[in-house]
Short mmCIF file of all heavy atoms in Angstrom, two decimals:
data_model
loop_
_atom_site.label_atom_id
_atom_site.label_comp_id
_atom_site.label_asym_id
_atom_site.label_seq_id
_atom_site.Cartn_x
_atom_site.Cartn_y
_atom_site.Cartn_z
N THR A 86 26.84 -44.92 8.97
CA THR A 86 25.64 -44.38 9.61
C THR A 86 25.95 -43.82 10.99
O THR A 86 25.48 -42.74 11.36
CB THR A 86 24.57 -45.47 9.72
OG1 THR A 86 24.28 -45.99 8.41
CG2 THR A 86 23.29 -44.92 10.33
N GLN A 87 26.76 -44.55 11.74
CA GLN A 87 27.14 -44.08 13.08
C GLN A 87 27.91 -42.76 13.01
O GLN A 87 27.67 -41.83 13.78
CB GLN A 87 27.99 -45.15 13.78
CG GLN A 87 28.42 -44.80 15.21
CD GLN A 87 29.74 -44.06 15.27
OE1 GLN A 87 30.54 -44.17 14.33
NE2 GLN A 87 29.97 -43.31 16.33
N LYS A 88 28.83 -42.65 12.04
CA LYS A 88 29.59 -41.42 11.87
C LYS A 88 28.67 -40.26 11.48
O LYS A 88 28.80 -39.15 11.99
CB LYS A 88 30.68 -41.62 10.83
CG LYS A 88 31.59 -40.41 10.64
CD LYS A 88 32.67 -40.68 9.62
CE LYS A 88 33.61 -39.47 9.49
NZ LYS A 88 32.91 -38.24 9.13
N SER A 89 27.75 -40.53 10.55
CA SER A 89 26.81 -39.49 10.13
C SER A 89 25.93 -39.04 11.29
O SER A 89 25.64 -37.85 11.45
CB SER A 89 25.93 -40.00 8.98
OG SER A 89 26.69 -40.23 7.83
N LEU A 90 25.49 -39.98 12.11
CA LEU A 90 24.66 -39.64 13.27
C LEU A 90 25.44 -38.80 14.26
O LEU A 90 24.92 -37.82 14.80
CB LEU A 90 24.14 -40.92 13.94
CG LEU A 90 23.29 -40.72 15.20
CD1 LEU A 90 22.07 -39.85 14.92
CD2 LEU A 90 22.86 -42.06 15.79
N GLN A 91 26.69 -39.16 14.50
CA GLN A 91 27.51 -38.38 15.43
C GLN A 91 27.73 -36.96 14.91
O GLN A 91 27.63 -35.98 15.66
CB GLN A 91 28.85 -39.06 15.66
CG GLN A 91 29.72 -38.38 16.72
CD GLN A 91 29.05 -38.37 18.08
OE1 GLN A 91 28.78 -39.42 18.66
NE2 GLN A 91 28.75 -37.18 18.59
N ASP A 92 28.02 -36.85 13.61
CA ASP A 92 28.19 -35.52 13.01
C ASP A 92 26.91 -34.70 13.14
O ASP A 92 26.95 -33.50 13.42
CB ASP A 92 28.58 -35.65 11.54
CG ASP A 92 29.99 -36.20 11.35
OD1 ASP A 92 30.77 -36.19 12.32
OD2 ASP A 92 30.30 -36.65 10.23
N ALA A 93 25.76 -35.36 12.91
CA ALA A 93 24.47 -34.66 13.01
C ALA A 93 24.21 -34.20 14.43
O ALA A 93 23.69 -33.09 14.65
CB ALA A 93 23.35 -35.57 12.51
N LEU A 94 24.55 -35.02 15.42
CA LEU A 94 24.37 -34.63 16.81
C LEU A 94 25.28 -33.45 17.16
O LEU A 94 24.86 -32.51 17.85
CB LEU A 94 24.70 -35.81 17.74
CG LEU A 94 23.65 -36.93 17.80
CD1 LEU A 94 24.23 -38.16 18.48
CD2 LEU A 94 22.39 -36.46 18.52
N ASP A 95 26.51 -33.47 16.65
CA ASP A 95 27.45 -32.39 16.96
C ASP A 95 27.03 -31.07 16.34
O ASP A 95 27.25 -30.00 16.93
CB ASP A 95 28.85 -32.78 16.45
CG ASP A 95 29.46 -33.94 17.24
OD1 ASP A 95 29.01 -34.19 18.38
OD2 ASP A 95 30.37 -34.61 16.70
N THR A 96 26.44 -31.13 15.16
CA THR A 96 26.05 -29.90 14.45
C THR A 96 24.60 -29.50 14.70
O THR A 96 24.18 -28.41 14.29
CB THR A 96 26.26 -30.06 12.94
OG1 THR A 96 25.48 -31.16 12.46
CG2 THR A 96 27.74 -30.32 12.63
N GLY A 97 23.82 -30.38 15.34
CA GLY A 97 22.41 -30.08 15.58
C GLY A 97 21.55 -30.17 14.34
O GLY A 97 20.57 -29.44 14.19
#
Side-chain angles (χ1 to χ4, degrees):
T86 303
Q87 182 270 338
K88 183 179 182 303
S89 294
L90 178 58
Q91 186 61 63
D92 290 343
L94 286 167
D95 292 339
T96 59

